[in-house]
Amino acid sequence: MSNYHIKNLEEYYQVYRKSVRDPESFWAEIAEEHFVWRKPWDKVLEWNFSTPEVKWFEGAQLNITENCIDRHLATKGDKTAIIFEPNDPSEKAQHISYKELHEKVCAFANVLKDQGVKKGDRVCIYLPMIPELATSILACARIGAIHTVVFAGFSATALSTRINDCECNMVITSDGSFRGTKTIDLKGIVDEALESTPTIKSVLVVKRTKADINMKSVRDHWLQPLLDKADKDCPIEIMDAEDPLFILYTSGSTGKPKGMMHTTAGYMVYTAYTFKNVFQYKNGDVYWCTADIGWVTGHSYIVYGPLANGATTILFEGVPNHPDFGRFWDIIEKHKVNQFYTAPTAIRALAKEKLDYVENHDLSSLKVLGTVGEPINEEAWHWYNDNVGKKMSPIVDTWWQTETGGIMISPIPYTTPTIPTYATLPLPGVQPALMDEHGKEIKGNQVDGRLCIKFPWPGMARTIWGDHKRYKETYFSTYENKYFTGDGALRDTVGYYRITGRVDDVIIVSGHNLGTAPIEDAINEHPAVAESAIVGFPHDVKGNALYGYVILKETGESRLHENLRKEINQIITEHIGPIAKLDKIQFTVGLPKTRSGKIMRRILRKIAHKETDNLGDISTLLNPEVVQEIIDNAL
Ligand code: PRX
C-alpha cells in the first residue's frame, strides 16, 4: 500500500484513517518519498487555529520549480510537459517538452532578475492563456518572487486594486488576447490601470495579437528580445518551506478582494498529492483542465499539481464555442485526452447545443471526468456522464476553494462509487465537520450544517496578504478552533458530502465567486443611484445570475430605465469586469430593512427566486410596505 497513490476503496479507508490518526507522519512520508528537498524539515507541523498560525515542514528548504521541472529532466526530458492549444484551431498546437520548459523558465527567470526582481518581490501577471502565463509563474517561483496572477477578464480598476494591495513592482502582460472571434486590448487595460499604481517600475509585454500598442519608454519592454539574450540556465533560489509562493485574490462577501497567500512546501505537496489521486494520472496520460490560470484551479491543476507529477498538461487559449460548440470535444479527440476537468457552467452551456457536436468526435481516450467551482445539478451530471463519458468514465465532483489550495472533498475515480451532486468523501488529510447555528459540531450521518475543517492540511492559505486580522475574522472566528468554509453541506447515511452552496453573501456565477458588496459599491458610483442590493437567482447555464435592486435618487421616467440599466452594467464592467454584470435590474423606491438599517437580503432573494408565498415575518421590518411594491414590480 502506498499513501501517495490510492488504488481501491479499502486502501482509501486505510490511508484516510492513518491520515487522521497520525497526520504528521502521513504527510511526512509523502513529502519525503515524492519530492526533492535541499534541506529536510525540523518539524512537520506547527499549528494554532486561534492565532491563527499554520506551518508545514518548517525548516525545510526547496524550490518548487526544481520539483516541477528539473527533477524530471533525467527521465522525462523529452516528454511533453505542456501542450499549448491556440484559440484558432488552424494555428498549430505547441508541444513543450520538460527540457524546453526548463530552458524557457530559466531564460524568463534571468530576464526577471535583469529587471531587478528579487526574492519576495511581488510580480503581477495579467496574461491570456498562452505558454508565457505558465512560464512566467514558474520563473517567479524559480527566483523566489511572489506571483499574483490577475485573470485577464478583470477590468483596469480591478487590476490596479490588486497591484496596489500587494504592492507589485512589475506587470507581465501581452499586447492583447484572442478569445473566440474577439481580440482584447490587454495592454490598453494595463496602461489605464498603471495610471494609479505607484509601485510598478517595469512592464514586460508578450507579443501575441500583434496589435499596434503603446509602449511607454523606460517602463515597458517587449519580452522576446530579452528572452533571446538571456542565459537558458538559472540556478534555483533556495526557499524556506513557508516562504510565500503566490498571492491570489478572491472575492469576499464584504470589502475589497482578499489576497490569499499560499506558501511553498505545503502547497506543492498538497497539489501534487491531490492531482495524483483525484485524476489517477499515469505516465503517458494527457490531462486537460479547461480553467484559466487566472483562477486557483489553473494554478493548482494546470501548472503546479500536474508538473510536480511529471504530467502532460494542456493549456487552451480559446473558448468552448469557437469555432463551434464542438471545440472541447475536438481537442479531446486531437490530443487523446485521458483526464478532462471542467466547470458545471461549461457543461450546461454545451448540453444546450446539438448532441452531434459531441457524437461526431472520438472521445474514447477519456478515463476520468472532473467538475469544479460550483454544485453540479443532476441533469448536467447525467448529460456529462452519458454523452461525454459514455458511462465509462467516473465523474469526480471536486469541492475546494482558493483558500484551500487544492481539492478537499472528491471521489477517487475507479475507487469511490459516485452519486450525482455529491462530492462524496474527504481526501486523506482532510477532516471536515458540520456545525449547527449555535456553534456545535453536528455528529453522525444524515445531517446538514455549515462546513468547517477541523485540522490543518498542507495546502491551506496561510493569511490574507497584509491583513491577518481579516484572515482570522473571516475563517477562524465563526467557529472556535475550526476553519469555516462559508459553504453549507449535508452528510448522508454513508458519510458522503453534498455541498449545498454558499451561506454568506458570495454568489457563484458561472463558477466565479462574486461578492455582493464590491458590485453594489460599483453601482452606487452611478450619479443617478442612491442605493442598491444584489442577490443571486437560479440560471440554467450560469448556475446563478445576478439580480440587482436599485433605488434611484430621483424616480425618473421609466422610458429612461433601459439606458440606466446599460449604464449600470457598464460601470460594473469598468470596476470589476464583465463577469459581474447583472442579468436583471429592478428599480425600486425602497429596500426592506431591519430596524437597525440592515438590508434583509433573505426577502430580496426570495423575490428574485419567485418564491413569494412564504416570506416569513416581515412585520418587524422598518418599512414592511416596500415588500409588496417590490413583489409587484419583480422581473
Ligand atoms: O461554494 C463553493 C464552490 O466554490 C467556492 C470556492 O470558489 P473559488 O475560491 O473561486 O474556487 C473555485 C475553484 C476551486 C466554494 O466555497 N465550489 C467549488 N467547488 C464546488 C463548489 N460547490 C459545490 N461543488 C463543488 N464541487
Side-chain angles (χ1 to χ4, degrees):
M1 189 186 80
S2 138
N3 286 339
Y4 191 70
H5 186 191
I6 296 162
K7 297 189 204 68
N8 58 54
L9 202 57
E10 196 188 324
E11 258 183 35
Y12 162 77
Y13 281 113
Q14 275 179 20
V15 171
Y16 186 78
R17 278 194 293 269
K18 177 173 178 177
S19 79
V20 174
R21 204 173 49 238
D22 190 357
E24 294 195 25
S25 55
F26 171 76
W27 286 113
E29 276 168 37
I30 289 171
E32 206 171 302
E33 274 173 42
H34 297 277
F35 301 90
V36 177
W37 303 90
R38 289 300 179 109
K39 179 175 169 286
W41 47 88
D42 304 318
K43 197 158 192 310
V44 181
L45 172 64
E46 182 93 56
W47 72 290
N48 176 345
F49 272 180
S50 58
T51 3
E53 188 183 39
V54 173
K55 290 180 182 163
W56 283 92
F57 309 112
E58 216 190 343
Q61 291 187 325
L62 73 156
N63 186 287
I64 196 168
T65 69
E66 180 170 50
N67 282 277
C68 287
I69 310 173
D70 305 45
R71 67 158 159 157
H72 305 311
L73 295 179
T75 52
K76 294 183 181 147
D78 294 324
K79 177 177 172 170
T80 301
I82 296 175
I83 299 176
F84 171 58
E85 173 67 29
N87 176 62
D88 177 354
S90 65
E91 189 183 328
K92 213 166 159 283
Q94 277 178 45
H95 291 246
I96 302 168
S97 69
Y98 273 93
K99 213 163 105 227
E100 288 162 339
L101 184 63
H102 182 257
E103 285 174 5
K104 283 178 189 291
V105 169
C106 282
F108 210 141
N110 283 324
V111 169
L112 295 182
K113 281 206 233 172
D114 290 346
Q115 292 292 318
V117 179
K118 295 182 304 299
K119 178 177 175 180
D121 286 353
R122 274 80 60 207
V123 173
C124 174
I125 301 173
Y126 187 72
L127 280 173
M129 283 284 283
I130 53 177
E132 288 79 359
L133 179 47
T135 53
S136 59
I137 284 176
L138 293 163
C140 287
R142 194 156 186 96
I143 64 165
I146 305 168
H147 55 79
T148 181
V149 183
V150 176
F151 170 60
F154 276 119
S155 68
T157 313
L159 176 60
S160 62
T161 307
R162 286 157 177 77
I163 290 173
N164 289 334
D165 185 71
C166 64
E167 298 170 303
C168 299
N169 48 25
M170 173 188 269
V171 180
I172 304 173
T173 189
S174 66
D175 49 358
S177 70
F178 295 124
R179 287 193 61 79
T181 51
K182 281 193 259 169
T183 307
I184 299 157
D185 173 20
L186 286 193
K187 179 63 168 46
I189 297 171
V190 170
D191 287 343
E192 194 187 326
L194 297 199
E195 281 169 22
S196 54
T197 55
T199 52
I200 294 292
K201 295 197 191 75
S202 57
V203 179
L204 297 180
V205 187
V206 180
K207 191 168 267 186
R208 176 60 183 143
T209 58
K210 304 199 172 75
D212 186 17
I213 57 159
N214 201 22
M215 293 291 281
K216 191 169 166 186
S217 70
V218 185
R219 186 194 72 179
D220 300 351
H221 312 270
W222 288 107
L223 178 68
Q224 196 56 48
L226 301 178
L227 286 176
D228 292 341
K229 280 190 285 186
D231 194 339
K232 308 266 178 295
D233 198 10
C234 173
I236 56 169
E237 181 77 33
I238 307 282
M239 304 294 284
D240 288 337
E242 285 295 336
D243 276 340
L245 174 64
F246 67 85
I247 300 165
L248 187 59
Y249 285 86
T250 186
S251 301
S253 43
T254 54
K256 59 181 185 178
K258 298 172 288 191
M260 303 315 306
M261 189 192 91
H262 285 278
T263 57
T264 307
Y267 175 83
M268 171 185 79
V269 170
Y270 197 71
T271 52
Y273 179 72
T274 49
F275 173 77
K276 179 73 186 170
N277 285 296
V278 172
F279 299 104
Q280 291 289 309
Y281 184 87
K282 301 209 172 58
N283 198 16
D285 286 348
V286 175
Y287 160 89
W288 181 24
C289 166
T290 68
D292 194 291
I293 294 175
W295 311 113
V296 75
T297 307
H299 280 60
S300 302
Y301 299 110
I302 296 179
V303 183
Y304 288 115
L307 297 179
N309 282 283
T312 300
T313 172
I314 296 183
L315 200 158
F316 174 47
E317 183 183 29
V319 291
N321 60 354
H322 176 74
D324 61 37
F325 285 96
R327 188 68 194 276
F328 275 6
W329 324 126
D330 190 44
I331 295 173
I332 292 174
E333 178 174 358
K334 177 173 168 189
H335 298 295
K336 301 199 172 36
V337 171
N338 302 109
Q339 292 90 0
F340 177 64
Y341 192 29
T342 194
T345 187
I347 297 167
R348 286 189 296 262
L350 295 170
K352 277 179 126 49
E353 302 304 321
K354 284 193 306 249
L355 209 48
D356 291 1
Y357 285 120
V358 191
E359 287 178 344
N360 290 342
H361 290 96
D362 175 6
L363 305 182
S364 59
S365 56
L366 288 171
K367 295 195 285 192
V368 178
L369 300 177
T371 77
V372 60
E374 60 190 306
I376 178 162
N377 50 307
E378 274 208 65
E379 211 183 333
W381 195 97
H382 284 294
W383 186 87
Y384 199 29
N385 188 43
D386 296 353
N387 301 301
V388 182
K390 322 282 181 210
K391 299 194 171 128
M392 307 274 282
S393 301
I395 295 179
V396 290
D397 176 353
T398 64
W399 174 83
W400 60 295
Q401 310 178 296
T402 307
E403 294 86 338
T404 69
I407 299 168
M408 301 287 279
I409 303 181
S410 166
I412 294 177
Y414 301 98
T415 288
T416 320
T418 58
I419 305 179
T421 76
Y422 281 77
T424 76
L425 297 170
L427 293 179
V430 176
Q431 299 188 33
L434 294 180
M435 309 299 290
D436 69 16
E437 65 273 30
H438 310 297
K440 254 189 80 200
E441 184 172 351
I442 312 167
K443 302 271 184 164
N445 291 355
Q446 198 66 319
V447 290
D448 65 76
R450 294 174 173 219
L451 180 63
C452 287
I453 313 290
K454 54 185 176 186
F455 195 84
W457 63 101
M460 67 190 292
R462 304 295 196 257
T463 192
I464 293 175
W465 184 263
D467 200 347
H468 198 66
K469 188 162 159 271
R470 188 177 181 201
Y471 175 69
K472 177 176 172 169
E473 275 162 14
T474 312
Y475 304 106
F476 297 90
S477 300
T478 318
Y479 302 104
E480 207 188 334
N481 222 14
K482 291 185 180 61
Y483 165 82
F484 176 43
T485 64
D487 282 328
L490 61 84
R491 186 166 53 221
D492 78 357
T493 47
V494 294
Y496 275 18
Y497 287 85
R498 178 182 194 211
I499 312 302
T500 47
R502 300 292 308 180
V503 294
D504 56 10
D505 288 329
V506 170
I507 305 169
I508 304 193
V509 178
S510 300
H512 301 141
N513 267 9
L514 297 170
T516 49
I519 306 175
E520 289 162 5
D521 290 347
I523 299 173
N524 299 347
E525 297 266 309
H526 190 290
V529 171
E531 203 182 354
S532 61
I534 306 290
V535 296
F537 71 100
H539 186 281
D540 61 355
V541 172
K542 301 181 192 180
N544 295 296
L546 300 178
Y547 193 123
Y549 297 91
V550 176
I551 305 178
L552 296 173
K553 284 182 183 151
E554 286 169 31
T555 32
E557 293 172 58
S558 53
R559 68 183 170 83
L560 300 176
H561 284 179
E562 238 4 84
N563 278 346
L564 272 175
R565 286 192 176 95
K566 281 195 193 122
E567 287 170 21
I568 287 170
N569 269 328
Q570 184 55 33
I571 281 206
I572 295 173
T573 305
E574 281 161 19
H575 279 73
I576 301 161
I579 51 174
K581 282 206 279 197
L582 309 183
D583 273 39
K584 292 185 182 177
I585 300 177
Q586 176 177 352
F587 295 105
T588 171
V589 290
L591 293 167
K593 289 196 176 161
T594 61
R595 286 180 197 274
S596 59
K598 225 176 134 221
I599 299 171
M600 282 289 276
R601 286 171 199 277
R602 181 177 58 78
I603 293 173
L604 296 175
R605 226 173 272 137
K606 287 208 163 186
I607 298 174
H609 283 228
K610 301 201 189 310
E611 292 166 4
T612 48
D613 290 349
N614 181 15
L615 289 180
D617 182 14
I618 58 168
S619 64
T620 57
L621 291 178
L622 191 64
N623 50 353
E625 70 290 347
V626 79
V627 175
Q628 194 55 47
E629 204 263 3
I630 297 177
I631 294 174
D632 292 344
N633 294 301
L635 301 170

